Amino acid sequence: MRANFHLKTLTVAVATLSVISVANAAGLDRSGQDITAFLQDGTYAEAVYTYIDADVTGHDNAYVGSDKNAYQKGKKIDDIAESYDFFRYGVKADINDTFSVGILYDEPFGAAADYSGNNNFVDQNPLSPRNGEGTNVEVRTESITGIIGAKLGESKNFQVYGGPVAQRVKADVKLRGTAYSAANGYSIHVSPDQDYGWIAGMAYSKPEIALKAALTYRSEIEHNAPASELYPFVANLPPALGLSTNRSDTIEIKTPESVNFDFQTGINPTTLATAKVRWVPWSDFAIVPSLYNDVSKLSTGDNTGLPLVDYDDDQWQVELGLAKRVAPALAISGTVGWDSGAGNPITSLGPIEGYYSAGLGAKYNFTENWAVSAGGKYLWFGDAKGQIPNKTIVSDFESNDGFILGAKLSYQAK
């Protein structure tokens, strides 16, 4: 006789994995844009806190010459990765046995890097008003996603869902030190801007074996944000070029589209296997401030110029997990993951080429409806060489790692 892996008995194990799953990745990816809160049964709500701390150290480039790809080990670069944290919230309810609604909040994209010490990414000129300042980048986004879903078929096994996404972005970047040549001293402040996109997906479930599969697409979101630039080098250029050291303009930033695949299935009545796959086309992403771009055209000799940030490759991310219910109210889980990164060499503002990861988590149901989860993940970062927009190698980062800690409070009533 075939055993039934009822979701009721596996609830403890299911949600454990999502505490620290897919977080910190290629490009500016942070949260993984998880939507599994909407895929839970009945009325469901969660609040998730994630803390990420990475150790990213390397050396600058001591090579002097015309070969952009040449590298010679230079001065030490201390840890540039600033620790950061973010929250994720989700609420979902069934209107009836066909329609469901949900609201999700997360912080999908971001960056936090800060150079210090005695190296080519810190202004060492005693005559400069920026003496001692290091290269710094801070990018933050926030998203609110509204979802409505409809279950189809005689057994309601299929579901289609979609809805609007509101997203807010802001950023600050400072380039300092001889690594950036004429761009030493450049700064840009991108004021907060809100714009809109959409989400759409489909899901399939088979409760008798605790199987769920969902494919979710998120659109790119185009921001036209107010931006203020400062470029001290422009003061050395001929006035006839019509460039000023300061410029206030708008900047177009398109946060990328993405595709997520979420899968789970029961192995036996107390064990669940899961898989997550995520694709983000970072090769299509670029940040192109107008003043920076206009000045770069002098060196490129064309009408295109250079972006401040761009990436060569798309990101692929895979995470596999097992969850085991070890007591009526307690489950444990483990995950292994891989992230392809977004190219190598890569921007000096985020010199990591993907990672491998291993994580552990646990969930305890302290009442029938309420539960608390906690977990941790260790990351082994891929070695990468840092480059500036003209593709000159300026640094090398090797043997770096990091960790993620997460906690979640959840409520579910079926």
Side-chain angles (χ1 to χ4, degrees):
M1 183 176 178
R2 188 178 183 185
N4 285 341
F5 307 151
H6 293 296
L7 290 178
K8 179 69 175 178
T9 63
L10 281 172
T11 298
V12 173
V14 174
T16 297
L17 292 156
S18 62
V19 178
I20 53 156
S21 62
V22 194
N24 197 51
L28 303 177
D29 215 7
R30 277 194 171 174
S31 73
Q33 297 181 297
D34 186 89
I35 68 138
T36 53
F38 179 75
L39 302 176
Q40 300 299 317
D41 296 307
T43 300
Y44 180 82
E46 67 176 25
V48 184
Y49 172 77
T50 303
Y51 174 83
I52 300 178
D53 194 357
D55 185 19
V56 181
T57 63
H59 293 83
D60 64 20
N61 193 353
Y63 170 78
V64 178
S66 58
D67 186 354
K68 292 184 176 182
N69 297 313
Y71 176 78
Q72 180 181 334
K73 187 176 181 178
K75 296 184 288 293
K76 181 174 174 56
I77 300 172
D78 293 328
D79 185 15
I80 69 168
E82 295 186 301
S83 61
Y84 63 91
D85 57 5
F86 58 90
F87 288 89
R88 186 175 81 240
Y89 306 100
V91 178
K92 176 260 179 181
D94 293 330
I95 299 173
N96 51 41
D97 63 353
T98 298
F99 293 101
S100 302
V101 294
I103 298 177
L104 308 176
Y105 167 88
D106 74 338
E107 301 178 30
F109 306 112
D114 188 23
Y115 285 81
S116 60
N118 180 22
N119 55 68
N120 293 345
F121 296 88
V122 178
D123 194 329
Q124 309 288 348
N125 184 356
L127 301 179
S128 169
R130 295 167 296 277
N131 181 36
E133 288 187 7
T135 296
N136 180 274
V137 57
E138 183 75 29
V139 180
R140 296 206 76 135
T141 62
E142 298 174 280
S143 288
I144 296 178
T145 303
I147 308 179
I148 183 168
K151 293 180 180 179
L152 309 173
E154 185 178 347
S155 301
K156 307 292 186 181
N157 293 111
F158 292 93
Q159 184 181 39
V160 293
Y161 52 89
V165 179
Q167 187 181 88
R168 187 173 182 266
V169 62
K170 62 180 180 178
D172 284 282
V173 178
K174 297 178 181 178
L175 305 184
R176 301 291 186 266
T178 57
Y180 296 102
S181 187
N184 178 15
Y186 174 83
S187 301
I188 180 172
H189 170 69
V190 180
S191 298
D193 177 76
Q194 181 170 303
D195 223 299
Y196 303 91
W198 53 275
I199 184 174
M202 62 182 69
Y204 173 78
S205 64
K206 193 172 183 181
E208 58 266 31
I209 59 171
L211 185 149
K212 286 185 178 182
L215 186 67
T216 306
Y217 172 83
R218 284 181 179 268
S219 71
E220 69 176 21
I221 298 179
E222 181 178 326
H223 296 269
N224 288 282
S228 301
E229 297 176 80
L230 171 66
Y231 206 144
F233 173 72
V234 175
N236 302 322
L237 298 176
L241 294 174
L243 297 174
S244 171
T245 57
N246 294 277
R247 180 180 294 180
S248 294
D249 201 351
T250 58
I251 181 171
E252 181 183 277
I253 299 176
K254 291 183 180 180
T255 55
E257 62 182 343
S258 64
V259 177
N260 282 20
F261 176 68
D262 296 278
F263 177 83
Q264 69 170 57
T265 187
I267 297 177
N268 59 49
T270 62
T271 306
L272 193 75
T274 66
K276 290 175 175 284
V277 180
R278 176 169 167 81
W279 171 78
V280 185
W282 285 108
S283 60
D284 296 334
F285 176 84
I287 298 177
V288 190
S290 64
L291 179 56
Y292 183 94
N293 183 252
D294 284 347
V295 175
S296 72
K297 293 174 184 177
L298 301 177
S299 61
T300 61
D302 57 34
N303 245 348
T304 303
L306 298 171
L308 178 62
V309 175
D310 67 343
Y311 299 97
D312 292 331
D313 296 340
D314 295 346
Q315 167 203 358
W316 283 94
Q317 190 177 70
V318 179
E319 185 173 86
L320 305 176
L322 280 176
K324 175 72 173 179
R325 182 165 59 86
V326 296
L330 178 65
I332 59 175
S333 67
T335 62
V336 293
W338 167 79
D339 187 288
S340 67
N344 184 25
I346 197 167
T347 172
S348 60
L349 302 179
I352 293 171
E353 188 191 16
Y355 65 76
Y356 291 93
S357 70
L360 293 173
K363 180 186 177 188
Y364 178 71
N365 278 68
F366 55 89
T367 73
E368 181 181 355
N369 302 118
W370 288 93
V372 62
S373 307
K377 181 189 289 184
Y378 187 80
L379 308 172
W380 293 268
F381 294 128
D383 299 342
K385 284 187 165 56
Q387 66 182 7
I388 57 176
N390 69 0
K391 307 302 182 184
T392 297
I393 301 298
V394 291
S395 59
D396 184 41
F397 289 79
E398 297 181 341
S399 303
N400 291 308
D401 57 10
F403 67 88
I404 303 172
L405 299 175
K408 175 168 70 176
L409 179 67
S410 59
Y411 171 88
Q412 186 167 26
K414 297 182 180 179

